[in-house]
Amino acid sequence: MTTRTAPGPRERLLDAARRLTYAQGVGVGVDALLKAANVARRSLYEHFGGKDGLIVEVLRLTTAEDEEWYRRTMRAAGDDPRARLLAVFDGLAEAIDAPDFRGCRYLAADLAVADPDHPCHAVTREYRERVHRLLEEELRRLGHPRPEHAATQLLLLVDGALAAGATRPGVDPAGCARELAEHVLDAPGHGAS
C-alpha cells in the first residue's frame, strides 16, 4: 500500500493560481492566491520569485496540457486530416458549453498584461506557434494549397470562438467557426500538387 503525500506549497500555489487566474484573470490578487493555496507569502517568493513567476509557470503547465488536448482531439477523429481539423471545433463546442468555461486563458493573459516584455507573452506566443504548426501539419497532410496561411485562419477562428464563447452565450460560436473552417479547408486549388 502506498501512501500519498499531501501536496507541498509549490503544488498548492500552482493549483490555486490555475483555478483563480482562469476564473478571475491574471489580475487576481496575491492575497487571494496565498489564501487559496494556504501558504505563506514567503513560499510564493521561494518557489516562483513572485506572482509574475507563478503566472508564467501556470501558463507553461496549461499550454502543455492544452496542446495535448488538440493532439488527443485530432487522434480521436481518426486518420482523415479534414475530419481531424474539424474535430477541433467540435471539441471547442463541448468546452464552451461547460458551466465553468471562462474563455481562453492565453488571450485573457495577453490582454490583461500591458507590459509587452512580460514573460507571459513569450509563453502564450510559443503556445500559439506550436498549435499553428500542429494545424499546419494536418493541412499539409490534407494537401491544402496554402497550409501556413490556412493554419493562421483556423487559429483565428479558434481564438474567435473561445472569445465569443466567453462573452456571447447562446450564439454557438464553435459551430459558426466550424462552418467557416470548412471553407478554409475547401479552398480553391485544394488537392493540387
Side-chain angles (χ1 to χ4, degrees):
M1 175 185 227
T2 59
T3 50
R4 292 181 75 186
T5 58
R10 184 179 196 282
E11 292 76 23
R12 292 198 312 269
L13 278 164
L14 285 169
D15 181 60
R18 174 183 292 196
R19 288 182 290 107
L20 293 179
T21 59
Y22 186 67
Q24 301 174 26
V26 295
V28 65
V30 169
D31 289 338
L33 290 166
L34 297 174
K35 182 178 180 180
N38 192 26
V39 298
R41 187 174 298 269
R42 185 185 69 161
S43 292
L44 172 64
Y45 293 96
E46 281 179 3
H47 293 286
F48 301 102
K51 181 183 168 190
D52 285 349
L54 175 60
I55 299 300
V56 168
E57 187 60 23
V58 165
L59 289 172
R60 278 193 188 109
L61 290 172
T62 58
T63 60
E65 293 166 1
D66 289 344
E67 184 179 351
E68 180 53 32
W69 176 87
Y70 280 93
R71 292 180 187 285
R72 191 174 54 249
T73 298
M74 289 193 291
R75 271 193 311 266
D79 290 330
D80 176 51
R82 188 176 197 281
R84 289 165 61 93
L85 289 163
L86 292 175
V88 167
F89 295 93
D90 298 335
L92 290 177
E94 289 179 27
I96 290 168
D97 286 343
D100 61 346
F101 179 74
R102 298 289 178 268
C104 176
R105 169 187 305 274
Y106 316 110
L107 181 58
D110 282 335
L111 293 173
V113 179
D115 178 4
D117 296 324
H118 190 285
C120 80
H121 297 302
V123 175
T124 60
R125 194 170 34 254
E126 289 168 14
Y127 166 69
R128 286 191 182 93
E129 288 169 3
R130 289 191 311 270
V131 173
H132 187 279
R133 282 192 302 270
L134 186 63
L135 298 173
E136 188 178 341
E137 288 169 15
E138 289 299 316
L139 286 155
R140 287 188 193 289
R141 287 186 58 230
L142 182 65
H144 196 282
R146 297 176 67 198
E148 185 175 345
H149 180 72
T152 298
Q153 291 175 318
L154 293 179
L155 200 49
L156 284 170
L157 291 172
V158 166
D159 284 344
L162 292 170
T167 58
R168 299 179 55 213
V171 297
D172 188 25
C176 292
R178 188 186 197 281
E179 288 178 33
L180 292 169
E182 289 178 12
H183 292 291
V184 172
L185 298 180
D186 298 335
H190 172 246
S193 50

